Amino acid sequence: MSGETFTGVGVSPGTAAGPVVQVAPPVRPPADEPTPVDAAAATDLVLEAFASVAKDLDARAEAADEHAAPILKATALIARDKGLAKAAGRQVGKGKGPATAIAAAVDEYAAQFEALGGYFAERVTDLRDVGHRAVAAVLGVPAPGVPSLTGPSVIVAEDLAPAETAALDRAKVVAIITAAGGRTSHTAILAAQMGIPAVVQLHGATSIAEGTTVAVDGDSGEVTLEPDMELIEAQRARREALAAALAEVTGNGLTRDGHPVNLLANIGGVDDAVAAGATDVEGVGLFRTEFVYLSAQTMPTVEEQAEVYRKVFEQFPGRRVVVRTLDAGADKPLAFANLGDEENPALGRRGLRLCEAKPELLDSQLEALAVAAKETGADVRVMAPMVATADEAAWFAERVYAHGLPKAGVMVEVPAVALRSKHVLAEVDFASIGTNDLAQYTMAADRMEGELSHLLDPWQPAVLDVVAAACDGADHNGKPIGVCGESAGDPYLALVLAGLGVRSLSMAPSKVPAVRLALSKHTIQQCRQLAHLALEARGAHEAREAVRAAANEELTAIL
């Protein structure tokens, strides 16, 4: 219906309008696929299909940019997984045809990934994408994916696999809408990195007729069907005004009265570091180091690790680099440090808990970081994930200092640390709040469960209460505290966080300019007043609306 507006979850800021292009659903195995006459030949066909998928993804990775290439390579590794191929072979042995066997093997693996949670649950979409491509290969039909685009388009799908999102033509894709997905899905992360407005969890998205013009607001999550010219022009004028305002504000993060709030980047590897290092950020607030370990069959040597860290540190001369030590465990098991299955990996021996059980993991990483820091002269600060007590913080800090690294910190992801931050932060030099996990643990809601996105909204006053408690403990100890979760990149929530006492904000580099602009329009006292409004709100929606209503009108007119 013309002018009708629906609301999903906005995950990548900005506005855009254009005709809908629906992504075709994946190819399914024939319901009546016959039992293969030659099981060996059918198994060979399955193996060839997986190999062709891996080869195609590798080719895409070679042509992709620094954001997409690592994701495409990681998806290619799934296609080469020997266990997945063997599982499909077993299904053939049970009398299933090649396409049906692939689908059954993928279902089997997906159930295991979802049970593990965490990193593996995040890869289920990748896994299913590999399966759909392999099914298409054995059936000899085109692989699923975004069709060729002839002009500016709004891509609509049930969900987008990382391989599909990563390969989008930014010159033609003006916005993304999915019926599934969540705030921390690959679609959300990549869309933000690519600067494409995106809305997820829009029920009925796949029912929007092909060619329907829609207006998308990636901030509010609103999607309007057949918008009138008044709305389209208003969005265009707003985009132009925002671009002009962003161009006027550069440099370090400062409130209008000069209160510093450091603006930093989140990175996950060397390619991310190269890209972020070339932008106007004050350094790195979160360097995720898992990529060094997750595909390794044996523990990387100190030399191998140091070489990677060197390449990252060299991109930020004179700027800080905050390194999160290995965040692995039952939800991201390592072949060389597996502590066994756990009933609930998200609440198990992950992060620092794994390193306490296997301290050689932490010691080798700290040694490598110290080597790379000394060789590059970088301002390296090291923090531990999944800390829960002051004793754990003290144990970690002692090991950091013993390796000659000057600054030790902790991630505030567990509510216990926030509530006892007065004691925990007495043991370290700084802290960084991971609001994604903190929201998950505070609200008892799985990050990967899209239907619970409303509970994981970083505007939830209960989550902000826990953040405030962490900031109080930091202030008591005179220690700096930052935020490196999703909330740091929300310009309005950044004002609230600054008002609560957060001194640095780390986010995708593409989100830094808008946060810098928001801070420049408000004094620190105004930020504190906005924080009070958010804390007093009844719920997440009310908190957001109260802050927007009280924020500087120059900002709300364009952002």
Side-chain angles (χ1 to χ4, degrees):
M1 185 180 295
S2 178
E4 192 171 3
T5 297
F6 301 90
T7 303
V9 177
V11 293
S12 181
T15 59
V20 163
V21 172
Q22 288 280 357
V23 177
V27 179
R28 304 292 182 186
D32 56 351
E33 186 178 24
T35 298
V37 176
D38 186 340
T43 300
D44 287 341
L45 190 61
V46 167
L47 296 178
E48 289 169 8
F50 280 126
S52 70
V53 170
K55 183 178 179 181
D56 176 64
L57 291 169
D58 280 337
R60 291 178 179 224
E62 290 300 319
D65 63 19
E66 68 278 356
H67 296 305
I71 293 171
L72 291 165
K73 289 177 181 176
T75 308
L77 287 175
I78 293 177
R80 289 193 173 91
D81 188 284
K82 293 180 180 178
L84 180 60
K86 288 180 179 178
R90 287 194 297 271
Q91 295 292 336
V92 171
K94 294 177 181 178
K96 294 179 179 177
T100 306
I102 290 170
V106 167
D107 285 344
E108 178 186 323
Y109 256 51
Q112 294 174 11
F113 279 24
E114 287 166 346
L116 283 171
Y119 171 81
F120 277 88
E122 292 173 3
R123 304 312 301 274
V124 168
T125 302
D126 312 46
L127 172 63
R128 292 201 180 281
D129 180 50
V130 166
H132 295 149
R133 292 171 185 275
V135 167
V138 297
L139 295 177
V141 300
V146 179
S148 297
L149 305 177
T150 58
S153 307
V154 176
I155 299 300
V156 181
E158 176 64 28
D159 200 1
L160 283 176
E164 293 175 315
T165 311
L168 293 177
D169 183 348
R170 300 186 205 189
K172 293 179 180 177
V173 178
V174 298
I176 298 169
I177 302 171
T178 65
R183 295 179 184 278
T184 59
S185 66
H186 270 139
T187 296
I189 293 168
L190 277 172
Q193 289 174 336
M194 298 165 75
I196 300 174
V199 173
V200 302
Q201 287 290 310
L202 188 78
H203 299 295
T206 56
S207 299
I208 302 174
E210 185 92 7
T212 301
T213 298
V214 296
V216 180
D217 189 326
D219 296 287
S220 67
E222 293 180 341
V223 174
T224 302
L225 307 188
E226 298 294 359
D228 56 28
M229 285 306 299
E230 183 178 356
L231 176 58
I232 292 176
E233 283 300 311
Q235 287 190 346
R236 182 192 59 76
R238 186 172 150 203
R239 285 194 299 273
E240 292 177 355
L242 177 60
L246 294 177
E248 293 179 358
V249 185
T250 59
N252 293 351
L254 295 170
T255 61
R256 195 173 72 197
D257 54 339
H259 180 84
V261 181
N262 304 130
L263 302 179
L264 309 166
N266 291 342
I267 64 172
V270 176
D271 289 338
D272 281 353
V274 173
T279 65
D280 188 10
V281 297
E282 296 173 60
V284 173
L286 174 62
F287 170 25
R288 306 178 184 93
T289 57
E290 289 72 54
F291 76 102
V292 179
Y293 300 86
L294 290 179
S295 60
Q297 294 303 304
T298 59
M299 188 166 71
T301 65
V302 170
E303 292 74 19
E304 288 170 338
Q305 294 181 61
E307 178 60 24
V308 173
Y309 303 146
R310 247 191 313 269
K311 291 177 181 177
V312 170
F313 297 164
E314 287 171 350
Q315 308 306 317
F316 300 94
R319 293 180 281 180
R320 79 178 71 171
V321 179
V322 180
V323 181
R324 184 180 70 187
T325 56
L326 178 62
D327 187 12
D331 63 334
K332 306 175 197 174
L334 302 175
F336 50 88
N338 192 343
L339 299 180
D341 293 338
E342 296 179 356
E343 288 294 325
N344 191 337
L347 301 179
R349 290 185 292 176
R350 53 169 284 205
L352 188 64
R353 297 171 183 180
L354 171 66
C355 290
E356 288 182 310
K358 292 187 174 293
E360 65 274 13
L361 287 176
L362 180 60
D363 288 336
S364 68
Q365 183 171 30
L366 294 176
E367 183 179 350
L369 288 168
V371 169
K374 183 176 181 181
E375 292 180 355
T376 60
D379 177 7
V380 177
R381 310 173 189 193
V382 187
M383 62 183 179
M386 205 61 180
V387 174
T389 69
D391 285 344
E392 289 176 349
W395 181 85
F396 175 74
E398 182 180 358
R399 293 187 107 82
V400 171
Y401 303 145
H403 284 85
L405 292 161
K407 292 188 178 180
V410 296
M411 290 284 291
V412 180
E413 303 163 291
V414 178
V417 167
L419 297 173
R420 301 292 293 174
S421 59
K422 180 174 73 172
H423 301 278
V424 175
L425 267 68
E427 303 293 342
V428 293
D429 302 297
F430 69 95
S432 185
I433 304 170
T435 50
N436 298 346
D437 266 331
L438 186 63
Q440 173 177 242
Y441 293 130
T442 300
M443 303 302 292
D446 190 333
R447 284 173 55 183
M448 299 313 299
E449 184 56 62
E451 294 297 330
L452 299 181
S453 287
H454 64 290
L455 293 177
L456 294 168
D457 189 328
W459 282 93
Q460 285 287 356
V463 176
L464 294 177
D465 280 336
V466 180
V467 171
C471 291
D472 287 345
D475 183 62
H476 175 84
N477 286 284
K479 305 286 178 66
I481 190 166
V483 168
C484 59
E486 176 202 354
S487 58
D490 179 330
Y492 290 99
L493 195 46
L495 298 173
V496 171
L497 296 172
L500 292 175
V502 168
R503 289 165 57 178
S504 65
L505 298 165
S506 189
M507 65 204 81
S510 65
K511 294 186 176 183
V512 169
V515 172
R516 182 187 289 117
L517 175 65
L519 290 169
S520 74
K521 297 292 184 182
H522 299 81
T523 65
I524 188 60
Q525 184 56 37
Q526 288 173 325
C527 290
R528 290 169 183 148
Q529 292 168 351
L530 295 176
H532 176 75
L533 290 175
L535 290 174
E536 291 299 308
R538 180 176 179 274
H541 176 74
E542 293 87 347
R544 183 187 293 107
E545 291 306 306
V547 169
R548 285 187 66 95
N552 185 294
E553 291 182 0
E554 293 179 17
L555 184 70
T556 56
I558 58 175
L559 189 63

